[in-house]
Amino acid sequence: MAEAKEFQATIKRGIARKFGDDINTDYIIAAKRKTQSTDLDELVKHIMEDIRPGFYNELKPGDFIVGGKNFGCGSSRENAPQLLKHAGISCVVATSFARIFFRNCVSVGLLPVICDTSSIDEGDVLELDAGRGELRDVTKGLSFKITPLPKVMQDILKEGGVLNYILKYGSLGAGEPVPRSPENDGCAELNKDTGNATRVEIPIGTTRVRANVPNLLAVMRPKEVPCHPDPAGAVREALSRPIGTKPLSELARGKKTVAVIVNDITRPYPGGLLVREIARELNAAGIRDEYITLVVACGNHRPNTDEELRIMFGDEVCHRFRIVNHNAADESALKYLGTTDRGIPIYVNKIVADADLKIATGLITPHHAAGFSGGRKSILPGVSGLKTLNIHHSLPIRPYDPAMGWYDGNPFHEEALKAARMVGLDFIVNTIDNDKREVVAVVAGDVDLAHRAGVEICRRIWTVEVPRKADVVITSPGGYPRDCDLHQSQKALSCAEMVCREGGIIILCAEARDGIGKFGNWLKEAKTPQEVIERYKREGYTAEASAKAFMYARAFVKHKVMITGCKVPPEELSQMFMHPKPDLDTAIGDALAEVGMDASFIVIPYASDMIPLVRQPCRN
């Protein structure tokens, strides 16, 4: 790559700031400081203060941090190298590094250099010539050979960090294999062979279950992308530089009432952070807290409890603002705004419809009907009425087959966007996360343009290719709250359907601590799954969440579905055409007995969010 050559030729020059051996990340930034603020501009003032008071005031742009052995040991805080970079440090030179710190330096775009530092003193002028593989102590006239970095690390550093690199090239190594190790793999037991089986971990509820999986074709995992080192800063940056609209502070001028649409408990995201940063902008524009209402986008889900609201948003937000759970069945709380050209009557929450300024927060992830969540979905289905949902969530607006990643041309998405425009949604603030549920990026602005920008980031992270469809697919929504009930857990089946051959077996790992959901009777009352499908074609979406029953039935007619880890009584699961198993090992054994000992497996630990691509058709 030309970029790598450009990086290698770079010559850096600066003053040595010398430290000793075993400098841990708590010396770089004390743990107590991290709890006081997430603002890099504030935190950077305190770097190294416990071992070198006033150090920040000594620094000049381009300085070199010079350490001894085991630099960056201790905790794996990514904000330690991020703060060094933020302080203007040119590079960190050490005799040896703690592995996680070294990795984090590369991730955030701070150059780590390995060489013998014993002869370097505080205040020496240093010059790094990466192209020649040499560090020179200009003051002493000494020269040191440096350990060369792998090419992929050079390329990542050239782009300013791993996130920028992935957003530009789509994957680590741009097609070249990158070694994985337990500490940088979200599932540390993966790829440990046990005979012809592979050890895997599957999230169920708040725990993880291990199992040996034979004949493994693939473990579908998203691309490894580190969390943003400063989520609050990322939100502020997005608010000040929105996509397709004026900044929120300008939109808020002269407005009196504000409705901020927020997620419910089934869609975990940093809601408290988003609300606080939005309120900061609104307050600065003269809008007081008492004129800001948070509307929980429950859609047709149950209302959230006070405890759940505190979990999602924190005590401060719950005390500061009025919070209202949307009720799709309460027609007195809805306002009619017209009908779309596909015949969908738009009834939405009155608080939202009547607000002077309408803001939606959310999380952009792959979605089994809309292609992607977030953006326009805060309006439809989030704060829409049952008469609207009845048509929007029915065929043919709802895609018959799983639609993860299907965006343009998807009527479910297009009608939701029309509804958002009819409501007059002014502004969105959406996050994108990684498989650890950490914020990777934030987008803000126009409901279409900003959302599209977030979709592209999300697509690059969560799209995974598999060699072919498998005989057996082990799938999990990703643990609590995504498997809080069987309603939410169904999303893991949609992903599994796309990579399981017709007639194959799907093993659903879901706790469902809150039970089944509204859709259950549709399945219990039917004699066959096909009967459910035919009923849904006739009646469409109903208050009983019939679309969820349809999607389960769609999977049942093509696959045998086993379920394990579930708190719903086995007799009820059997009534709904599922095959309960006491544990994952039993389910795997029973699948092998039915399909054959050479049955191929695919494992999807976070199936609610995956976009699968099948490289080849399945075998006959």
Side-chain angles (χ1 to χ4, degrees):
M1 284 186 180
E3 288 88 346
K5 291 178 182 178
E6 239 177 83
F7 167 78
Q8 290 168 347
T10 300
I11 296 178
K12 298 176 181 289
R13 189 182 179 101
I15 303 298
R17 304 298 180 180
K18 184 71 180 286
F19 295 87
D21 296 338
D22 299 314
I23 299 298
N24 67 52
T25 53
D26 282 332
Y27 291 155
I28 298 173
I29 181 64
K32 64 181 180 182
R33 295 296 183 186
K34 187 182 178 187
T35 63
Q36 294 171 354
S37 176
T38 58
D39 188 339
L40 291 182
D41 288 334
E42 178 59 32
L43 287 176
V44 75
K45 301 173 185 176
H46 303 286
I47 58 174
M48 302 292 190
E49 66 179 359
D50 287 349
I51 57 173
R52 195 159 163 179
F55 177 67
Y56 174 70
N57 296 323
E58 302 174 17
L59 288 176
K60 296 179 181 178
D63 282 356
F64 287 34
I65 293 288
V66 178
K69 299 176 182 178
N70 200 28
F71 191 92
C73 57
S75 71
S76 58
R77 292 192 184 99
E78 192 173 63
N79 65 344
Q82 180 67 27
L83 283 169
L84 293 177
K85 181 181 177 182
H86 196 69
I89 296 299
S90 179
C91 62
V92 181
V93 185
T95 304
S96 64
F97 287 91
R99 291 177 62 194
I100 294 179
F101 181 85
F102 186 88
R103 181 203 69 184
N104 285 342
C105 281
V106 176
S107 293
V108 304
L110 176 65
L111 174 62
V113 176
I114 300 174
C115 75
D116 182 4
T117 62
S118 58
S119 300
I120 300 174
D121 292 317
E122 173 73 21
D124 286 356
V125 176
L126 302 181
E127 188 173 83
L128 174 68
D129 188 337
R132 302 179 70 144
E134 185 178 76
L135 177 72
R136 292 186 287 270
D137 187 325
V138 178
T139 302
K140 293 188 173 74
L142 301 175
S143 180
F144 311 95
K145 282 292 183 185
I146 65 175
T147 301
L149 295 178
K151 181 175 179 295
V152 67
M153 288 188 177
Q154 295 180 28
D155 295 340
I156 290 169
L157 287 162
K158 173 61 178 68
E159 295 302 329
V162 71
L163 179 57
N164 291 342
Y165 180 90
I166 288 177
L167 294 181
K168 182 172 181 178
Y169 295 107
S171 65
L172 281 175
E176 300 173 5
V178 179
R180 299 171 70 91
S181 58
E183 65 263 32
N184 66 18
D185 195 323
C187 191
E189 294 296 322
L190 291 181
N191 301 326
K192 288 189 177 178
D193 292 332
T194 312
N196 71 332
T198 302
R199 185 83 159 169
V200 300
E201 278 189 346
I202 304 294
I204 302 179
T206 55
T207 63
R208 299 173 74 85
V209 176
R210 290 182 174 88
N212 294 325
V213 179
N215 313 319
L216 186 62
L217 284 180
V219 177
M220 292 180 58
R221 300 190 66 90
K223 294 181 178 68
E224 292 182 60
V225 178
C227 64
H228 195 288
D230 181 18
V235 177
R236 293 174 195 169
E237 176 73 12
L239 291 174
S240 64
R241 298 183 180 181
I243 301 169
T245 68
K246 295 178 181 178
L248 183 58
S249 57
E250 293 185 32
L251 293 177
R253 287 175 191 161
K255 302 297 193 325
K256 294 183 179 179
T257 60
V258 181
V260 180
I261 305 170
V262 296
N263 281 0
D264 72 356
I265 189 65
T266 65
R267 288 163 174 80
Y269 78 134
L273 170 63
L274 297 184
V275 170
R276 291 192 301 273
E277 294 300 332
I278 288 169
R280 181 202 299 265
E281 297 287 313
L282 298 178
N283 293 162
I287 300 175
R288 300 199 303 270
D289 288 354
E290 56 264 38
Y291 294 103
I292 302 171
T293 301
L294 308 187
V295 181
V296 184
C298 299
N300 191 33
H301 303 162
R302 64 165 176 80
N304 289 183
T305 65
D306 289 344
E307 181 181 1
E308 288 171 336
L309 293 173
R310 285 194 297 273
I311 291 171
M312 288 188 292
F313 303 107
D315 289 339
E316 177 192 343
V317 168
C318 291
H319 289 147
R320 285 178 62 185
F321 305 104
R322 176 192 178 205
I323 303 179
V324 177
N325 281 299
H326 170 69
N327 184 350
D330 184 2
E331 294 192 3
S332 67
L334 303 174
K335 186 173 184 177
Y336 173 67
L337 299 177
T339 301
T340 71
D341 54 7
R342 282 191 173 109
I344 300 179
I346 303 302
Y347 290 88
V348 299
N349 188 286
K350 279 184 180 178
I351 296 172
V352 175
D354 292 339
D356 295 331
L357 184 63
K358 306 168 183 65
I359 304 167
T361 67
L363 172 70
I364 300 176
T365 63
H367 189 271
H368 60 155
F372 293 88
S373 66
R376 72 286 184 240
K377 276 189 86 265
S378 292
I379 297 295
L380 177 56
V383 294
S384 295
L386 282 176
K387 290 180 180 178
T388 303
L389 300 179
N390 176 256
I391 299 178
H392 183 255
H393 278 35
S394 299
L395 303 173
I397 303 301
R398 172 184 288 280
Y400 185 93
D401 292 311
M404 274 81 76
W406 180 26
Y407 196 61
D408 291 317
N410 183 342
F412 196 94
H413 153 67
E414 292 174 345
E415 292 302 285
L417 182 59
K418 290 174 187 175
R421 293 295 193 203
M422 291 172 68
V423 171
L425 185 61
D426 296 289
F427 200 86
I428 69 167
V429 187
N430 282 187
T431 59
I432 302 95
D433 63 10
N434 59 22
D435 65 337
K436 300 179 184 67
R437 306 300 170 212
E438 300 166 331
V439 174
V440 168
V442 183
V443 293
D446 179 73
V447 64
D448 182 19
L449 299 178
H451 188 251
R452 283 180 178 274
V455 160
E456 289 312 305
I457 299 172
C458 179
R459 190 188 297 279
R460 293 178 183 180
I461 295 172
W462 291 94
T463 300
V464 177
E465 189 178 77
V466 297
R468 64 176 188 271
K469 292 188 177 182
D471 299 311
V472 184
V473 176
I474 301 173
T475 187
S476 166
Y480 185 82
R482 293 180 183 271
D483 70 347
C484 63
D485 57 20
L486 289 181
H487 182 106
Q488 293 302 320
S489 299
Q490 181 278 327
K491 296 172 184 177
L493 276 187
S494 290
C495 182
E497 286 178 72
M498 298 174 74
V499 295
C500 186
R501 68 164 175 83
E502 191 163 344
I505 293 175
I506 297 174
I507 301 173
L508 174 62
C509 303
E511 181 185 53
R513 66 176 65 175
D514 294 336
I516 297 171
K518 298 178 181 180
F519 70 91
N521 286 336
W522 269 56
L523 292 171
K524 292 178 182 179
E525 294 167 1
K527 296 178 180 178
T528 66
Q530 188 61 42
E531 186 178 307
V532 175
I533 294 174
E534 297 305 320
R535 181 182 177 187
Y536 180 71
K537 288 179 178 178
R538 293 192 307 270
E539 299 182 28
Y541 183 86
T542 68
E544 294 82 21
S546 55
K548 194 63 65 172
F550 155 71
M551 288 184 284
Y552 268 108
R554 180 187 66 199
F556 297 154
V557 299
K558 294 183 292 184
H559 313 286
K560 180 174 185 177
V561 176
M562 300 177 179
I563 184 167
T564 184
C566 189
K567 292 186 179 298
V568 175
E571 58 271 19
E572 288 193 73
L573 295 170
S574 298
Q575 286 178 326
M576 295 187 294
F577 311 107
M578 298 184 212
H579 300 267
K581 301 296 176 181
D583 52 60
L584 182 53
D585 287 331
T586 299
I588 292 171
D590 289 353
L592 289 169
E594 292 191 33
V595 181
M597 295 306 291
D598 64 343
S600 58
F601 282 73
I602 287 175
V603 175
I604 322 175
Y606 298 94
S608 293
D609 296 327
M610 301 303 303
I611 304 174
L613 293 178
V614 180
R615 191 159 58 233
Q616 298 174 3
C618 64
R619 65 188 184 188
N620 293 326

